[in-house]
Amino acid sequence: MKNNHWNYRVMKSSVNGLGIYEVYYNEDGSIQGFSHNIVSPRGDSLKELNDDLLLYVKALEKPILDYDQLTKQFQ
């Protein structure tokens, strides 16, 4: 799977409630795929961890995606 662009997005799941997932996009902006598990912040330094956390904050500013609906769409 070729990933042209990705970001973190908040998704709502009937099992896990709200969580942050990685979402991958096609060049036209349509969703190509997504992580099936909630992700957690990470980095090899405090700066990298801080930068990753800032991307999580940006995810909170975007519309919430429906995990269950997307899972059905990609089956």
Side-chain angles (χ1 to χ4, degrees), residues 31-49:
I31 294 176
Q32 181 183 46
F34 55 94
S35 62
H36 292 282
N37 296 310
I38 294 171
V39 295
S40 60
R42 56 193 173 268
D44 291 329
S45 67
L46 283 178
K47 181 182 179 338
E48 286 182 10
L49 180 59

Side-chain angles (χ1 to χ4, degrees), residues 6-10 20 40-42 46-62:
W6 73 274
N7 62 15
Y8 294 126
R9 294 293 298 268
V10 175
I20 295 182
S40 60
R42 56 193 173 268
L46 283 178
K47 181 182 179 338
E48 286 182 10
L49 180 59
N50 183 68
D51 291 346
D52 203 39
L53 286 167
L54 292 174
L55 294 175
Y56 277 62
V57 171
K58 286 183 180 182
L60 300 174
E61 300 168 354
K62 295 177 174 60

